[in-house]
Amino acid sequence: MKVKGLRWWVVGLVALAAVVNYIDRQAFGALWPDIANDLFPEMDKDGHKVIFGTISTVFILSYASGQALFGKIFDWIGTRMGFALSIGVWSIATMLHAFAQGMLSFSIFRSILGLAEAGNWPGAAKANAEWFPTKERALAQGVFNSGAAIGGIVAYPVIGLLSAYLDWKSIFIVVGALGLLWLLPWLFIVKSGPKTHPWLSEDERKYILSGQKNQDVDEDGNYDDGYVPNTGELLKHKESWGVIIASAALDPIWWLFIVWIPIYLSEVFGMNVKEIAFSAWVPYVGAMIGAWYGGLLAQKKLNFGWTVDKTRKYVITLGCIIMIPCFILLKYPGAPQVLGFFGVEESAALTMADPQVKKIMDNDAFKDLKADKDFIINIAGNSTNEIKSNPRFKKAYQSAVWKTPKAEATKEERLLPKYGPPSDSGIAALAYLSEINNARNTAALIAVVIMAILLFGFQVAIGNIQTLPSDLFGGKIVGTLSGFAGMAAKLGAAGLTLLVTFITTGGNYTPAFLIGGALALIALLSVWILCPKIEPLKPKN
């Protein structure tokens, strides 16, 4: 039996693995508001954020270790069994989340998950190098990366839908089982590499292997060897460090959003789990389109006769140029001038941002009332005293827990607007609750659209950065360099994740966005300076 286009079946399965990968990892962030209220009911949102940031940092550090480990494992045992080991372990780890009781147990299970999920990326890079000729690799990488984006798109709605019927523990069991099901078609279809696969036609086999001729540095007719240095020699090349630094700078941008989008939407716009589930997927649409566009653009340029060097740098530069202004724009989605452009009255925009109003809008006791159309209609235009006497408002107000300063707080700190119950001005604003909700929803929509454009640029750039190991070295060392680059990227992501925990106190994410813009610039410079010519390298001697 021969299967036409078998290489696309292989990359399709790898992309599907990325979809499962993202559903498994995003479940924690999407379900965090429910998990936090269940396991840590005595803490406020800043306390919940510290726990979430700490557990997420543990996950990313484990992921970083797993990148280097699985880079070697894929080079040792091959693509087929490497993926089977990786996805089998991470699926079981996801299911174990259902038994977590606190920060320690969650950290342990997230650590196992991160270690195993890390195999997806060096495995994808190695599968790409094995199964695709040079001119198709950016497109194949784009297909794979779009799997990560599709995973982000479907994860939140799927989890939101499941949350309507299941508790958070049961949801972890369900999504963990998806990876075990993926193993069945993978082991059946991917029987071996392209050299010996019995289903591969001779024409396609020749097309794949002859298309890798740029790696035949020793001109022995073996197209998949190329220059395969040992680890020490690999790290002596500045081009290797160009790949590593570009990954270490650019990849944390992705993690900035996949970790913090749910918390950002909850903290800044007061969204609950279901609202997050049906909003947080939007940025991943931009990412999916960017993954495909970056691959197709690179393929088009190569078909026009552009060199690999010119093509990669052009596409990577384009992606970074798209990202940088988006980071600046993310400071302003709630600005009255911006909301006014979308038809929101200035008074509603200013009221939405009032600290006294935010005390009520962000308080868990009012999460149902602010979305209840009957309540909104009943208090519309009412005076402060009329709102206070409303039975439903009175019940929610009496059950609410208001943020109080710590014992060691100074007199000035105790007077900050964020502490204590809201003033009469905050309560009076509820007479315009419909307008406040409209302003918040519009600001949230603007923010997620900007994120979608930003992640479009990210995927345009990252897909071509991830092909650099196979552009520079032979297939037998690609997994190793991809693993080192991935480890550096995840260490950078872990550092940024932990930093965001402390620099966004009170819901101010501007410092995090400014850091993201600087990282995009660093990634761009590292490619241009440390990779003066992207082509197959030769031994230094």
Side-chain angles (χ1 to χ4, degrees):
M1 183 178 71
K2 302 297 180 182
V3 177
K4 186 176 181 180
L6 183 62
R7 67 191 186 282
W8 295 107
W9 283 90
V10 174
V11 78
L13 282 172
V14 175
L16 184 59
V19 174
V20 176
N21 186 297
Y22 268 75
I23 293 174
D24 286 3
R25 78 172 62 176
Q26 295 297 80
F28 180 65
L31 294 170
W32 178 248
D34 286 352
I35 296 171
N37 290 332
D38 188 11
L39 298 183
F40 312 103
E42 74 287 354
M43 292 187 179
D44 60 13
K45 288 190 175 182
D46 282 338
H48 288 164
K49 187 194 290 184
V50 170
I51 294 176
F52 178 82
T54 302
I55 295 172
S56 297
T57 302
V58 169
F59 170 80
I60 298 172
L61 287 172
S62 301
Y63 200 100
S65 301
Q67 290 270 288
L69 173 63
F70 269 95
K72 285 290 186 184
I73 287 175
F74 272 89
D75 284 338
W76 288 338
I77 67 175
T79 305
R80 182 175 188 263
M81 295 311 300
F83 266 112
L85 177 64
S86 174
I87 199 166
V89 173
W90 96 50
S91 298
I92 294 171
T94 301
M95 300 171 81
L96 289 174
H97 282 50
F99 303 97
Q101 297 296 316
M103 187 166 73
L104 178 60
S105 51
F106 257 122
S107 296
I108 292 171
F109 298 146
R110 295 298 287 176
S111 180
I112 299 171
L113 178 70
L115 195 71
E117 279 199 336
N120 218 33
W121 269 256
K126 189 170 181 65
N128 193 354
E130 286 179 356
W131 281 91
F132 286 87
T134 301
K135 68 179 182 180
E136 288 185 347
R137 283 180 183 159
L139 178 57
Q141 192 69 36
V143 172
F144 165 70
N145 286 347
S146 71
I150 293 170
I153 292 170
V154 304
Y156 291 109
V158 165
I159 292 164
L161 183 62
L162 290 174
S163 69
Y165 303 98
L166 303 171
D167 62 11
W168 63 266
K169 296 180 179 181
S170 301
I171 292 173
F172 279 120
I173 298 291
V174 172
V175 298
L178 294 176
L180 299 179
L181 293 175
W182 177 90
L183 285 172
L184 300 177
W186 173 257
L187 293 174
F188 178 70
I189 293 174
V190 186
K191 301 180 182 299
S192 67
K195 274 188 175 182
T196 59
H197 199 295
W199 294 359
L200 194 63
S201 69
E202 287 305 315
D203 287 343
E204 186 175 5
R205 195 188 321 274
K206 182 179 179 181
Y207 175 73
I208 292 170
L209 298 179
S210 64
Q212 297 169 349
K213 62 185 178 181
N214 67 310
Q215 294 182 338
D216 188 17
V217 176
D218 54 12
E219 298 181 352
D220 64 352
N222 190 3
Y223 297 138
D224 67 341
D225 56 2
Y227 170 38
V228 184
N230 59 40
T231 302
E233 292 172 342
L234 177 74
L235 296 178
K236 289 180 181 178
H237 288 276
K238 64 179 181 292
E239 290 85 357
S240 296
W241 287 102
V243 175
I244 292 170
I245 294 173
S247 300
L250 203 62
D251 203 54
I253 293 172
W254 179 254
W255 286 84
L256 174 65
F257 290 99
I258 68 169
V259 171
W260 292 107
I261 282 178
I263 311 305
Y264 170 77
L265 293 176
S266 173
E267 194 170 15
V268 176
F269 304 107
M271 291 185 172
N272 58 33
V273 169
K274 292 180 181 177
E275 290 170 329
I276 291 170
F278 291 99
S279 300
W281 60 271
V282 175
Y284 295 97
V285 175
M288 178 186 67
I289 297 171
W292 283 89
Y293 179 77
L296 288 169
L297 180 61
Q299 185 181 42
K300 181 179 179 181
K301 295 300 182 184
L302 289 170
N303 287 337
F304 279 171
W306 283 31
T307 63
V308 172
D309 176 66
K310 184 178 179 181
T311 299
R312 299 285 184 250
K313 288 178 179 175
Y314 172 79
V315 180
I316 291 168
T317 302
L318 176 64
C320 291
I321 288 174
I322 292 171
M323 281 189 283
I324 292 172
C326 288
F327 278 113
I328 299 171
L329 291 174
L330 279 172
K331 182 180 178 181
Y332 303 105
Q337 302 91 326
V338 175
L339 291 177
F341 180 79
F342 291 91
V344 176
E345 294 183 8
E346 183 178 5
S347 58
L350 293 172
T351 303
M352 173 195 72
D354 188 302
Q356 300 301 328
V357 176
K358 286 175 67 67
K359 285 182 184 180
I360 298 178
M361 295 294 289
D362 295 343
N363 197 292
D364 288 337
F366 292 89
K367 65 181 180 180
D368 294 327
L369 286 186
K370 70 183 182 182
D372 189 317
K373 292 182 179 179
D374 291 335
F375 177 73
I376 293 171
I377 293 172
N378 286 337
I379 66 169
N382 287 2
S383 67
T384 305
N385 290 332
E386 287 173 328
I387 294 172
K388 285 182 177 180
S389 63
N390 181 286
R392 298 187 65 191
F393 172 83
K394 187 183 296 185
K395 181 179 179 181
Y397 190 87
Q398 291 172 347
S399 66
V401 177
W402 309 104
K403 188 173 183 179
T404 57
K406 295 180 180 179
E408 64 272 17
T410 64
K411 182 179 179 180
E412 291 76 14
E413 289 173 334
R414 292 176 182 277
L415 295 175
L416 291 175
K418 65 181 179 179
Y419 294 127
S423 65
D424 283 356
S425 66
I427 296 173
L430 293 181
Y432 310 99
L433 186 54
S434 178
E435 291 85 350
I436 295 170
N437 281 337
N438 180 48
R440 274 198 163 193
N441 293 338
T442 303
L445 178 61
I446 294 169
V448 296
V449 169
I450 293 172
M451 290 180 191
I453 297 170
L454 192 155
L455 292 185
F456 170 88
F458 172 86
Q459 287 289 0
V460 168
I462 197 67
N464 281 267
I465 287 175
Q466 289 170 338
T467 65
L468 294 179
S470 58
D471 292 330
L472 298 169
F473 296 100
K476 294 178 182 178
I477 200 68
V478 165
T480 299
L481 179 54
S482 296
F484 282 136
M487 181 177 69
K490 301 315 173 288
L491 289 174
L496 182 58
T497 299
L498 190 60
L499 183 62
V500 168
T501 302
F502 300 102
I503 64 176
T504 60
T505 302
N508 179 18
Y509 284 79
T510 299
F513 295 142
L514 293 177
I515 291 172
L519 290 173
L521 183 60
I522 291 170
L524 182 60
L525 292 175
S526 66
V527 171
W528 278 93
I529 294 172
L530 295 176
C531 301
K533 192 171 185 180
I534 299 169
E535 62 181 2
L537 298 179
K538 296 181 179 181
K540 281 184 171 294
N541 57 0

